[in-house]
Amino acid sequence: MASTQKTKRPNIFVRLGRFFKKSWSELKKVSWPNFKTVCKNTGVVLLVVLFFLAIVLASDQLFALLLRLVAPQG
């Protein structure tokens, strides 16, 4: 007869220890950018966000103006 035993898993602390050990090992393999690259990429992101902020605000004002023209209050 085939035995239907479950394989016993290690307790939570052993599994967490293995997880953090593997994670630390992977983090050591990452090639991190230097400070100049981080600053440059941050600047690009901020410029793109400001550009789209301007587009959204301009379109909001345009739609508000159109709405006032179509349905005047008062």
Side-chain angles (χ1 to χ4, degrees), residues 1-69:
M1 245 167 89
S3 135
T4 57
Q5 280 186 339
K6 282 185 170 180
T7 58
K8 185 169 169 117
R9 290 171 42 182
N11 69 24
I12 186 74
F13 297 109
V14 172
R15 288 184 286 160
L16 275 173
R18 287 181 189 161
F19 171 77
F20 285 119
K21 187 176 179 180
K22 288 179 184 178
S23 297
W24 187 255
S25 171
E26 289 297 319
L27 280 174
K28 288 194 284 187
K29 296 177 187 177
V30 173
S31 95
W32 297 97
N34 59 19
F35 185 72
K36 183 179 177 184
T37 305
V38 171
C39 288
K40 180 180 171 185
N41 290 342
T42 302
V44 169
V45 168
L46 289 176
L47 285 175
V48 169
V49 167
L50 289 174
F51 174 74
F52 281 104
L53 174 69
I55 290 175
V56 169
L57 287 176
S59 63
D60 181 54
Q61 292 299 317
L62 177 66
F63 289 136
L65 175 67
L66 291 174
L67 186 62
R68 282 194 303 267
L69 291 175

